[in-house]
Amino acid sequence: MTQRTSPAPRSCSNCDGFASVAITTGGRNQRGHLHIITADCPACHGTGTRASCRDREGVRA
């Protein structure tokens, strides 16, 4: 018997699924560790996927 599978989540077209990045500022602290900041994709808010059209429109009565 075949099983139903859910469709694969749609990846964000802006970040192509790589939603968060770590960026080094180039400096080091007193212990020698790099200063790192993180940045999230503004379109998907760091999830890497985007909502389908049905989810964005909401429920219609």
Side-chain angles (χ1 to χ4, degrees):
M1 179 154 60
T2 60
Q3 295 179 351
R4 294 184 180 182
T5 58
S6 60
R10 300 175 70 176
S11 64
C12 176
S13 59
N14 291 356
C15 65
D16 205 26
F18 295 98
S20 296
V21 295
I23 303 167
T24 60
T25 59
R28 293 186 180 263
N29 64 9
Q30 292 177 346
R31 292 184 172 193
H33 298 132
L34 286 171
H35 291 279
I36 298 174
I37 58 173
T38 57
D40 293 332
C41 173
C44 65
H45 305 289
T47 61
T49 59
R50 65 177 194 183
S52 66
C53 294
R54 239 183 257 158
D55 294 341
R56 284 184 288 183
E57 291 176 2
V59 179
R60 293 182 185 176

